[in-house]
């Protein structure tokens, strides 16, 4: 009998810190040995000329989720997870989204009912908290955090989702007490609606005006405010889908002061610009997402943020609304920019795009690529070291990556349930040949190899409560000095 279930031989292994030649032996779904001349496996994979990377973790995607205006995403947990797997991911973190008036407990139950029978890769849920009622804040949220739902997103914009600054202080301090991570969609809602109202009154309704209404200042102001609110209560905070240079700078400044502020960005801010929103007719609707893509200088600032440590996480923010009446045109065939469903797809193209333009063009090291697409998300969201690395005892989650595979992205080669990709026609170099999750070969020979529902839900545990101040949390020390404990 072979000592191992699977041995991957001859590949170049890369983690967030190291790159080395090694064989990888897998037993019972975990990495059992790393080395040269390992014993035999039941199955052997020849990885010569290939890279062996930790499977990707897409830490921000909207799957089988209703938007705030109750439009259902085009992808369910089957098509979403299959698409993610074909793009090199072995774990994803969609949202269990609360709409106003809903019980969080109910929302989590629904997410499990939707994901369990369908997901083909492993998953965990972030919560979305849009209604921090007494019951949610006093009972449901603390209990759910203790049960392992240790991250949640709040919104500073969208009429039906936004919370006030006061509510934000409540959730941040609750997150601090219970060891959870708050994620924030930082855009100033009043600024956006003030500009939008003026644009609409003057008859400026086309998709490109979405990009004007969602000014970079709306994003940077809200980002700075969110950071200051977090600082006030000494809580960690992760700002999601950052696109504005000044928002990136605000994160960098906070991190330089030692504050536990984290940043996420997405492919749409590297590969799309405002000009895409100005395409012929209603085509621009395909690129309407919030925050919107910016200009070339904005793209450069986001690339810089990926290389200088401003951003820790690179996610897709896959929010799939088709270019038809089920998605972008749910409000009619010629909606104003205010009525176009927000979001772009990108689960399957996230890693190949970053690899090709980042590693392939010398902007990022291979190790930085691994950190941004897998390891850092595992660490920040409580999945490390089970996920996000290649180490003895970690889950055998691997993307066996062909760095020389040149592919031109077209919608028909993708596996989501969309009818367009924003990246149609882009040629990239580097794509996974084989994707392995807990030792199971999920994708090989461009074919799905596993059954619906074979993905596993991932338990997480909250961080231990911290009574130390983080970094330069001056206000906290000031009121502590007076013997007051506000958080
Ligand atoms: O435009 C976007 N990003 N739509 C998805 C919802 C969100 O804000 O993440
Ligand atoms: Zn958002
Ligand atoms: Zn999102």
């Amino acid at each position: 009998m072979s000592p191992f279930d699977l041995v991957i031989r001859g590949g170049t292994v890369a983690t967030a810190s190291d790159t080395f030649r090694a064989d990888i032996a897998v037993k019972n779904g975990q990495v059992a040995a790393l080395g040269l001349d390992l014993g035999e496996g039941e199955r052997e994979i020849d990885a010569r000329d290939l890279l062996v990377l930790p499977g990707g973790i897409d830490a921000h995607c909207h799957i089988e989720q209703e938007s705030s205006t109750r439009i259902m995403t085009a992808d369910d947990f089957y098509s979403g997870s299959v698409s993610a797997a074909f793009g090199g991911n072995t774990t994803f973190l969609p949202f269990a989204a609360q709409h106003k008036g809903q019980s969080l407990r109910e929302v989590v139950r629904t997410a499990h009912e939707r994901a369990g029978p369908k997901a083909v890769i492993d998953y965990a849920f972030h919560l979305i908290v849009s209604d921090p009622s007494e019951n949610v804040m006093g009972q449901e949220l603390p209990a759910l955090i203790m049960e392992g739902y240790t991250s949640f997103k709040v919104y500073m914009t969208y009429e039906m989702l936004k919370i006030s600054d006061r509510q934000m202080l409540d959730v941040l301090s609750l997150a601090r007490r219970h060891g959870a991570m708050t994620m924030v969609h930082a855009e100033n809602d009043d600024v956006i609606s003030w500009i939008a109202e003026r644009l609409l009154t003057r008859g400026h309704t086309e998709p490109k005006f979405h990009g004007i209404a969602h000014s970079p200042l709306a994003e940077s102001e809200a980002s700075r405010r969110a950071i200051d609110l977090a600082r006030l209560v000494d809580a960690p905070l992760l700002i999601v889908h950052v696109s504005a240079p000044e928002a990136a700078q605000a994160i960098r400044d906070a991190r330089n002061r030692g504050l536990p502020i984290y940043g996420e960005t997405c492919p749409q801010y590297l590969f799309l610009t405002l000009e895409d929103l100005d395409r012929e007719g209603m085509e621009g609707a395909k690129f309407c997402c919030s925050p919107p893509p910016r200009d070339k200088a904005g793209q450069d600032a986001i690339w810089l943020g990926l290389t200088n440590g401003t951003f820790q996480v690179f996610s897709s923010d896959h929010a799939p609304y088709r270019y038809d009446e089920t998605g972008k045109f749910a409000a009619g065939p010629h909606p104003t920019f205010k009525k176009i469903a927000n979001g772009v797809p990108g689960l399957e193209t996230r890693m190949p795009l970053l690899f090709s333009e980042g590693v392939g063009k010398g902007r990022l090291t291979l190790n930085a690529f691994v950190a941004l697409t897998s390891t850092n998300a595992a660490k920040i969201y409580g999945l490390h070291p089970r996920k996000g690395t290649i180490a003895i005892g970690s889950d055998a989650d691997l993307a066996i990556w062909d760095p020389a595979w040149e592919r031109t992205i077209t919608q028909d080669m993708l596996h989501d349930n969309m009818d367009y990709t924003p990246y149609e026609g882009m040629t990239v170099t580097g794509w996974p040949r084989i994707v392995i999750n807990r030792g199971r070969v999920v994708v090989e020979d461009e074919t799905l190899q596993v059954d619906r529902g074979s993905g596993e839900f991932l338990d997480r545990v909250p961080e231990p409560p911290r009574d130390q101040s983080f970094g330069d949390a001056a206000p906290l020390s000031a009121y502590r000095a007076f013997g007051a404990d506000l958080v």
Side-chain angles (χ1 to χ4, degrees), residues 104-333:
L104 267 187
R105 203 27 96 193
E106 204 54 48
V107 157
V108 168
R109 191 171 307 130
T110 304
H112 277 288
E113 280 166 12
R114 289 175 176 171
K118 297 185 202 128
V120 303
I121 58 170
D122 293 349
Y123 58 96
F125 300 120
H126 304 297
L127 308 175
I128 284 176
V129 178
S130 65
D131 192 357
S133 63
E134 219 176 287
N135 186 41
V136 165
M137 298 299 283
Q139 314 277 333
E140 290 193 321
L141 190 51
L144 284 164
I145 294 170
M146 289 235 297
E147 289 167 36
Y149 302 89
T150 54
S151 47
F152 55 83
K153 181 177 174 186
V154 292
Y155 288 79
M156 297 169 85
T157 187
Y158 290 129
E159 195 50 39
M160 306 302 288
L161 295 173
K162 68 179 182 201
I163 62 170
S164 66
D165 290 355
R166 188 192 174 103
Q167 289 172 318
M168 181 97 120
L169 287 169
D170 286 339
V171 296
L172 283 165
S173 53
L174 184 146
R176 183 189 196 279
R177 277 196 308 280
H178 294 275
M181 175 61 77
T182 306
M183 307 153 74
V184 66
H185 179 134
E187 286 186 287
N188 182 316
D189 192 65
D190 281 333
V191 168
I192 294 167
S193 59
W194 188 87
I195 303 174
E197 216 173 275
R198 272 152 188 79
L199 289 168
L200 292 174
T201 315
R202 290 160 174 76
H204 300 312
T205 61
E206 298 90 330
K208 68 179 173 193
F209 291 106
H210 173 79
I212 306 300
H214 287 249
S215 158
L217 278 171
E219 187 186 340
S220 53
E221 184 283 326
S223 301
R224 281 190 291 264
R225 180 159 36 105
I227 289 168
D228 279 344
L229 295 176
R231 187 175 170 221
L232 186 74
V233 295
D234 192 19
L237 177 70
L238 186 142
I239 304 187
V240 294
H241 49 48
V242 175
S243 71
E246 285 186 37
Q249 189 58 48
I251 295 169
R252 185 151 177 77
D253 291 345
R255 293 181 62 77
N256 283 344
R257 300 171 84 166
L259 296 169
I261 302 296
Y262 303 89
E264 174 204 76
T265 194
C266 314
Q268 45 273 35
Y269 308 123
L270 297 178
F271 301 105
L272 304 175
T273 66
L274 260 184
E275 283 177 28
D276 290 303
L277 276 80
D278 193 20
R279 290 202 198 180
E280 196 66 25
M282 289 302 287
E283 283 276 309
K286 293 180 176 173
F287 306 91
C288 283
C289 57
S290 295
R294 308 292 182 187
D295 57 10
K296 176 72 179 62
Q299 287 184 339
D300 292 345
I302 299 302
W303 273 114
L304 180 67
L306 285 169
T307 57
N308 71 10
T310 301
F311 301 119
Q312 296 70 51
V313 184
F314 186 73
S315 306
S316 67
D317 191 10
H318 182 80
Y321 300 108
R322 292 168 67 103
Y323 190 65
D324 66 19
E325 70 291 347
T326 67
K328 293 288 179 186
F329 303 116

Side-chain angles (χ1 to χ4, degrees), residues 12 21 29 35 45-46 76 93 106 156 169 197 202 217 223 260 262-263 283 350 362 385 388 390 396 430 440 472:
T12 299
R21 294 297 289 273
I45 291 175
D46 179 0
D76 67 7
L93 289 104
E106 204 54 48
M156 297 169 85
L169 287 169
E197 216 173 275
R202 290 160 174 76
L217 278 171
S223 301
Y262 303 89
E283 283 276 309
R350 172 185 77 114
I390 300 176
R440 309 170 304 134
D472 182 15

Side-chain angles (χ1 to χ4, degrees), residues 304-453:
L304 180 67
L306 285 169
T307 57
N308 71 10
T310 301
F311 301 119
Q312 296 70 51
V313 184
F314 186 73
S315 306
S316 67
D317 191 10
H318 182 80
Y321 300 108
R322 292 168 67 103
Y323 190 65
D324 66 19
E325 70 291 347
T326 67
K328 293 288 179 186
F329 303 116
H334 291 284
T336 69
F337 68 86
K338 276 306 267 182
K339 295 268 161 76
I340 296 169
N342 274 209
V344 294
L347 268 174
E348 197 166 339
T349 46
R350 172 185 77 114
M351 293 177 75
L353 282 168
L354 191 69
F355 184 87
S356 185
E357 291 297 311
V359 182
K361 301 270 168 79
R363 293 174 168 117
L364 293 175
T365 64
L366 184 55
N367 311 103
F369 171 78
V370 170
L372 287 163
T373 56
S374 180
T375 315
N376 292 347
K379 288 183 176 169
I380 289 171
Y381 295 123
L383 295 168
H384 191 266
R386 179 175 174 191
K387 302 292 188 190
T389 191
I390 300 176
I392 310 293
S394 293
D395 281 358
D397 287 357
L398 306 166
I400 303 183
W401 196 277
D402 183 349
W405 190 4
E406 187 179 289
R407 305 185 86 188
T408 298
I409 297 172
T410 59
Q411 180 53 33
D412 13 308
M413 71 191 246
L414 302 177
H415 298 81
D416 60 15
N417 192 31
M418 285 296 289
D419 55 358
Y420 79 92
T421 164
Y423 311 107
E424 186 78 29
M426 272 189 67
T427 297
V428 296
T429 305
W431 207 287
R433 291 273 179 198
I434 301 177
V435 179
I436 297 172
N437 173 214
R438 278 178 289 105
R440 309 170 304 134
V441 174
V442 178
V443 174
E444 186 174 23
D445 297 330
E446 298 181 53
T447 311
L448 185 72
Q449 308 283 343
V450 295
D451 294 331
R452 286 170 86 91

Side-chain angles (χ1 to χ4, degrees), residues 55-64 75-85 88-95 114-116 118-126 316 318 347-348 350 373 377 381 383 387 397 437 455-458 460:
I57 299 176
D58 197 328
H60 184 157
C61 48
H62 303 269
I63 307 292
E64 213 167 331
D75 282 305
D76 67 7
F77 278 87
Y78 184 66
S79 60
S81 62
V82 170
S83 183
N89 299 285
T90 50
T91 295
F92 67 165
L93 289 104
F95 293 93
R114 289 175 176 171
K118 297 185 202 128
V120 303
I121 58 170
D122 293 349
Y123 58 96
F125 300 120
H126 304 297
S316 67
H318 182 80
L347 268 174
E348 197 166 339
R350 172 185 77 114
T373 56
Y381 295 123
L383 295 168
K387 302 292 188 190
D397 287 357
N437 173 214
E456 267 183 11
F457 176 70
L458 299 167
R460 297 186 283 158

